[in-house]
Amino acid sequence: MSKEIKKVVLAYSGGLDTSIIIPWLKENYNNCEVIAVSADVGQGTELDGLEEKAIKTGASKLIVLDLKEEFIQDYVFPTVQAGAVYENRYLLGTSFARPIIAKKIAEIAIEEGADAICHGCTGKGNDQVRFELTIKAFAPDMAIIAPWREWNIKSRDEEIDYAEAHNIPLKINRETNYSKDKNIWHLSHEGLDLENPANEPQYEKEGFLELGVSPINAPDTPTYVTIHFEKGVPTAIDGKEMNGTEIVSTLNKLGGENGIGLADLVENRLVGMKSRGVYETPGGAILYHAHEVLETICLDKETARVKQYLGIKFADIVYNGQWFTPLREAMSAFVTETQKTVTGDVKLKLYKGNIINAGVTSPYTLYDEEVATFDADEVYNQADATGFINLFGLPIHVKAKLDQKRNNK
């Protein structure tokens, strides 16, 4: 295969993996042309100096794509609307970033006439699946190169050895070599002391948390925030209209300052193993909470119940990299239908890692104070409950009577 590969498009972050992949590709694929593509989904300063670095290490050029707003509007918010949370804790920060990146890279590979697409995902992780399922959806005939499944490098230490031997500058060192993934939605931490679930994350240690502070170090006074939703999509904070990027960035700041959105969990990876990760998702935690609160007054019980258990499946789909599938599209169509009346304002109090409800209103509310009141009312006849209970309890009543007859024989 290597003889046929003359031009490769590389998903390039400038991190440890992709930094050494450029020279490795040229060494192992007949000095092929390598076009590096960096997708900006909110990594911030991680993109600084990437062009110079990519070209110095052998790439013919670097293409940078600003995908932040598209990422938030087309991938993040639809997942929040679905109420999709993986294994009760993980807000899918890495998971739904991969499809948009892989889709754009596949499109560029076709435009550039590339022979292959290369990614730096390991053979143990979920991302290899997420990338390659998306590539299959948009460039089904494109060859895929996954160095971690080919080369002799076995560890991150050996990667650093390779980088040092090839004079590739790195921003990390062996002692602080957490495996991290950062975008506008979240930051994940894996590896080192976190590989043992018995070890407590060092939240108070300087430099560990990047998006916020430990709840212990958060202010002693609460912060109030009001989020406005239109059809399940957040559109304003404290009365100020914002785009998706501004919404998430603003809530990341407020949440981070108050120790919101830390998750420490051992999750079940798609490839079968358990993996321990620590996630920072301050703005995301606030949005999920606010959206859920608004739905409590805007959705009827049966719709809410069906949506709740479909949310588990939706989270699996996102986690497993199956974004571009008929099932995900069909489920999103259902979610969109449920969101027609999810419009209103949610007020929250942020305090030392806690998100506390402080009021919710909606023009489409299904909450009727006159019906729900404990005071006297004219709309609910409490005597009607007798017949309801008799019918609702009929199976219990019948079984008990028949059991009595059987036991008395």
Side-chain angles (χ1 to χ4, degrees):
M1 182 175 100
S2 63
K3 292 181 180 178
E4 302 167 6
I5 303 297
K6 297 179 180 177
K7 184 185 290 189
V8 179
V9 170
L10 169 65
Y12 183 72
S13 68
L16 177 57
D17 296 330
T18 56
S19 292
I20 68 172
I21 282 174
I22 295 176
W24 181 88
L25 281 171
K26 298 183 79 67
E27 287 176 4
N28 291 273
Y29 285 86
N30 303 308
N31 199 33
C32 62
E33 180 185 356
V34 179
I35 298 172
V37 179
S38 291
D40 181 1
V41 286
Q43 303 93 309
T45 57
E46 289 182 13
L47 295 172
D48 294 350
L50 276 198
E51 182 173 16
E52 181 183 5
K53 182 176 180 179
I55 292 172
K56 274 187 176 180
T57 50
S60 61
K61 61 180 175 180
L62 172 70
I63 300 171
V64 179
L65 307 169
D66 185 350
L67 305 179
K68 292 189 291 294
E69 188 64 19
E70 184 179 348
F71 169 51
I72 293 294
Q73 295 290 352
D74 295 350
Y75 297 81
V76 175
F77 286 169
T79 305
V80 175
Q81 287 178 302
V85 179
Y86 187 71
E87 297 187 338
N88 300 316
R89 300 294 307 284
Y90 177 41
L91 302 185
L92 297 163
T94 298
S95 307
F96 47 33
R98 297 313 184 220
I100 184 174
I101 295 171
K103 176 177 183 284
K104 299 297 182 180
I105 286 173
E107 291 169 350
I108 288 172
I110 292 170
E111 291 171 7
E112 294 282 348
D115 305 302
I117 293 171
C118 179
H119 64 74
C121 309
T122 73
K124 284 186 174 182
N126 303 304
D127 280 344
Q128 58 183 335
V129 181
R130 297 166 183 154
F131 265 103
E132 294 186 30
L133 292 190
T134 300
I135 292 166
K136 290 178 186 299
F138 292 95
D141 298 321
M142 187 72 63
I144 298 172
I145 301 172
W148 270 103
R149 305 203 296 256
E150 296 182 29
W151 61 22
N152 294 321
I153 296 173
K154 301 298 182 186
S155 67
R156 289 174 71 80
D157 267 350
E158 290 183 14
E159 284 187 284
I160 294 174
D161 291 339
Y162 185 98
E164 290 173 350
H166 291 74
N167 297 314
I168 299 170
L170 299 174
K171 293 182 179 179
I172 63 171
N173 59 53
R174 295 177 198 270
E175 287 70 38
T176 60
N177 188 19
Y178 284 110
S179 176
K180 297 187 180 186
D181 177 73
K182 184 180 182 181
N183 58 45
I184 191 173
W185 184 250
H186 91 152
L187 174 66
S188 65
H189 309 256
E190 293 179 320
L192 297 181
D193 58 307
L194 297 178
E195 288 191 344
N196 185 346
N199 292 332
E200 179 184 357
Q202 300 302 303
Y203 294 135
E204 284 78 51
K205 184 178 179 181
E206 186 177 352
F208 181 76
L209 295 178
E210 295 182 28
L211 300 185
V213 299
S214 165
I216 292 174
N217 298 328
D220 292 330
T221 54
T223 299
Y224 284 89
V225 62
T226 299
I227 304 166
H228 179 74
F229 289 83
E230 290 285 338
K231 295 183 177 180
V233 175
T235 59
I237 295 176
D238 294 332
K240 182 181 179 182
E241 290 193 9
M242 301 179 182
N243 64 26
T245 304
E246 292 167 336
I247 291 274
V248 174
S249 298
T250 300
L251 293 178
N252 272 340
K253 183 176 184 297
L254 291 176
E257 290 170 348
N258 287 279
I260 304 293
L262 298 178
D264 172 14
L265 68 152
V266 176
E267 70 198 55
N268 290 294
R269 281 186 179 174
L270 175 59
V271 295
M273 71 185 71
K274 289 186 181 290
S275 171
R276 199 273 189 93
V278 170
Y279 299 99
E280 298 181 59
T281 323
I286 295 170
L287 281 176
Y288 266 94
H289 187 107
H291 181 261
E292 184 178 334
V293 169
L294 184 57
E295 284 192 330
T296 64
I297 66 169
C298 295
L299 296 187
D300 65 277
K301 176 182 175 179
E302 294 305 318
T303 300
R305 287 291 185 274
V306 172
K307 184 174 178 291
Q308 187 176 31
Y309 63 71
L310 287 181
I312 296 172
K313 180 61 178 176
F314 198 104
D316 282 342
I317 288 171
V318 176
Y319 189 86
N320 295 345
Q322 297 169 301
W323 188 270
F324 298 107
T325 60
L327 177 57
R328 198 280 307 166
E329 292 173 2
M331 292 184 72
S332 283
F334 165 78
V335 170
T336 298
E337 181 67 22
T338 68
Q339 300 299 290
K340 285 183 175 179
T341 59
V342 184
T343 293
D345 292 284
V346 181
K347 186 177 182 181
L348 300 172
K349 180 162 63 173
L350 312 178
Y351 181 68
K352 289 191 176 295
N354 296 290
I355 306 173
I356 303 165
N357 298 348
V360 55
T361 60
S362 170
Y364 302 103
T365 183
L366 298 176
Y367 182 86
D368 189 328
E369 192 171 345
E370 191 175 3
V371 172
T373 183
F374 282 94
D375 294 330
D377 67 85
E378 303 295 330
V379 297
Y380 186 94
N381 184 354
Q382 297 195 32
D384 289 344
T386 302
F388 167 75
I389 294 168
N390 287 338
L391 291 177
F392 189 65
L394 184 61
I396 298 171
H397 177 80
V398 170
K399 181 180 183 301
K401 296 289 286 183
L402 292 174
D403 284 347
Q404 280 181 346
K405 285 183 180 181
R406 283 187 283 266
N407 292 334
N408 292 332
K409 285 183 178 179

